[in-house]
Amino acid sequence: MVLEVAEIKITPGQERAFKEAYLGARELVRVSPGLRSMRMTQGVENPGRFVLLIEWDSVEAHEQGFRQTDRFPKWREAIGPFFAEPPFVEHVEDVD
């Protein structure tokens, strides 16, 4: 299992619209084969900072089961207009 961590910074004042867009588009990701869990968090001290956490069976499940499908451009089209800058995305594994 790998965890995809995506740090997303939203244009100030667009937080509510981003959350609505995410809630409307998340099913595009959730139906991906190899997805185990998915959640979005929002900063308390910095409400323009969101962190998307997705557990995948593998990096390949993320890359081939979602990013290389027609659902990925639809996902980015829905949430991308709210980005203040490109998201920082990486995969991590548990240490213990």
Side-chain angles (χ1 to χ4, degrees), residues 7-82:
E7 181 179 5
I8 305 167
K9 295 181 181 174
I10 300 303
T11 303
Q14 295 294 306
E15 296 86 0
R16 180 181 300 267
F18 172 73
K19 287 191 285 190
E20 290 172 4
Y22 164 75
L23 293 172
R26 67 183 169 185
E27 199 62 27
L28 292 166
V29 183
R30 283 193 170 168
V31 299
S32 300
L35 184 139
R36 294 182 178 198
S37 70
M38 175 179 179
R39 73 182 220 201
M40 179 74 77
T41 64
Q42 182 178 15
V44 174
E45 291 82 11
N46 181 358
R49 180 179 180 262
F50 291 78
V51 178
L52 176 63
L53 302 165
I54 304 178
E55 289 183 318
W56 296 96
D57 288 341
S58 64
V59 173
E60 293 75 23
H62 175 211
E63 296 295 328
Q64 296 170 8
F66 177 61
R67 293 204 69 167
Q68 294 178 14
T69 72
D70 63 341
R71 294 186 316 279
F72 179 69
K74 292 175 187 175
W75 163 255
R76 287 304 288 265
E77 182 179 330
I79 65 169
F82 305 101

